[in-house]
Amino acid sequence: MSYTLELWAAPVDELAARLGAGGADDDPAGKQATPAQLDIVASWLAVAGRPIDSVQHSSAAGDWFEDDVIGGPIAGHLGADLAGHLLSRPLAGLTWDEFPSVGWVRNAEIHAALTGRARADLPDPDTDEGDVVRTVIDALERVMESGQDLVTYYG
């Protein structure tokens, strides 16, 4: 079994509205999203989003991906909060505690995280870790340039 982190350029406020709540908040006290709400996210992304890139890992590599890559060099480059938001972030009063999960980052947050960061500080692209890190950073740069927000679907 494998898991994929899909990175989309999309307006997060529209997604929050589609989910039936009054805006995009990140209140961690929300309720667990239902399978029907996850279907809404997936179908909405197919219509309103623009796929930017994706990264995949095996189920056996889940801890490596989440802890050692997202929680390691990506968190070091972007900040731990933003890195964590790539995997899951409450939206419209909903949490994503299980797979699949939804994350999101506003364009301004991406801009603040990437401004002044040197690409030379990224891991070697010829390693598995470096390839994932560079794919994610490149995707964030493309989303930032698009003027859209980032919405992720991880499952």
Side-chain angles (χ1 to χ4, degrees):
M1 179 182 225
S2 66
Y3 292 90
T4 302
L5 177 66
E6 299 174 10
L7 301 124
W8 296 76
V12 75
D13 286 332
E14 276 186 32
L15 175 56
R18 179 62 61 106
L19 289 168
D25 65 54
D26 56 358
D27 177 12
K31 62 180 182 175
Q32 175 65 34
T34 66
Q37 289 163 322
L38 287 162
D39 289 345
I40 289 170
V41 173
S43 62
W44 177 84
L45 281 171
V47 172
R50 183 171 58 103
I52 299 298
D53 214 328
S54 66
V55 291
Q56 190 171 358
H57 65 82
S58 68
S59 57
D63 289 341
W64 167 81
F65 179 77
E66 293 177 17
D67 299 338
D68 297 344
V69 178
I70 300 294
I74 290 179
H77 198 74
L78 302 174
D81 285 343
L82 192 144
H85 295 330
L86 296 175
L87 301 178
S88 178
R89 186 177 188 180
L91 176 65
L94 301 172
T95 60
W96 322 91
D97 298 328
E98 300 172 15
F99 286 112
S101 63
V102 174
W104 58 277
V105 182
R106 292 201 183 279
N107 192 282
E109 292 174 301
I110 298 168
H111 191 272
L114 292 177
T115 300
R117 299 286 182 185
R119 290 187 63 82
D121 295 338
L122 297 176
D124 181 352
D126 293 331
T127 65
D128 289 341
E129 178 182 285
D131 181 52
V132 171
V133 170
R134 287 176 181 266
T135 297
V136 170
I137 298 299
D138 288 348
L140 288 170
E141 288 174 345
R142 289 193 306 257
V143 170
M144 183 179 69
E145 291 167 3
S146 78
Q148 291 285 339
D149 302 312
L150 172 77
V151 176
T152 63
Y153 193 90
Y154 181 39

